[in-house]
């Protein structure tokens, strides 16, 4: 029996609304709560992604160890090339470091600098 249930993944950032818009567009989830320092994105289930204001947020500099990635999201897609074009149009940046040996996933940075991966289904 579990001790707890997953509630939220929370990402620190300087602009919670902008980052919520970004992930809302990628996942097709709705923004369900907007405050000055906290924005929530969900698909209606209890699980959600939240974006929290941290005014002096310093994005990760992965794979450099001084500011490691800390956390990243793996997002499954049907077509890596199409999904790459779409996330780039939304403001993502393709990371210079691509560790996948067989192109089964690609690493990007969201608008706040957090790494995330698009993964082949």
């Amino acid at each position: 029996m579990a001790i707890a249930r997953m509630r939220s993944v929370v990402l620190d950032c300087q602009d919670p609304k902008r980052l919520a818009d970004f992930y809302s567009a990628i996942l097709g989830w709705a923004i369900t709560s907007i405050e000055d320092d906290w924005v929530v994105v969900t698909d209606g289930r209890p699980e959600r992604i939240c974006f929290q204001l941290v005014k002096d947020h310093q994005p990760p500099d992965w794979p450099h160890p001084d500011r490691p990635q800390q956390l990243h999201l793996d997002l499954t897609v049907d077509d890596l090339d199409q999904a790459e074009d779409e996330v780039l149009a939304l403001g993502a940046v393709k990371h210079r470091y691509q560790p996948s040996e067989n192109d089964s996933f690609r690493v990007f940075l969201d608008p706040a600098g957090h790494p995330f991966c698009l993964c082949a289904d």
Side-chain angles (χ1 to χ4, degrees), residues 34-108:
I34 301 174
E35 298 175 30
D36 291 339
D37 61 348
W38 184 265
V39 181
V40 177
V41 173
T42 184
D43 71 344
R45 294 181 293 177
E47 299 87 4
R48 62 200 190 154
I49 302 176
C50 305
F51 306 93
Q52 176 175 268
L53 176 65
V54 174
K55 292 183 181 183
D56 62 349
H57 177 259
Q58 296 295 312
D61 189 19
W62 177 81
H64 196 278
D66 289 343
R67 284 196 332 256
Q69 65 181 334
Q70 303 156 5
L71 169 126
H72 76 272
L73 301 175
D74 286 342
L75 308 174
T76 300
V77 300
D78 294 324
D79 183 316
L80 274 173
D81 293 329
Q82 178 181 346
E84 177 174 328
D85 290 344
E86 292 173 357
V87 300
L88 293 174
L90 290 169
V93 173
K94 191 170 184 179
H95 200 288
R96 66 187 177 281
Y97 180 61
Q98 295 294 322
S100 177
E101 294 177 7
N102 60 358
D103 198 36
S104 62
F105 67 92
R106 297 177 190 164
V107 183
F108 298 86

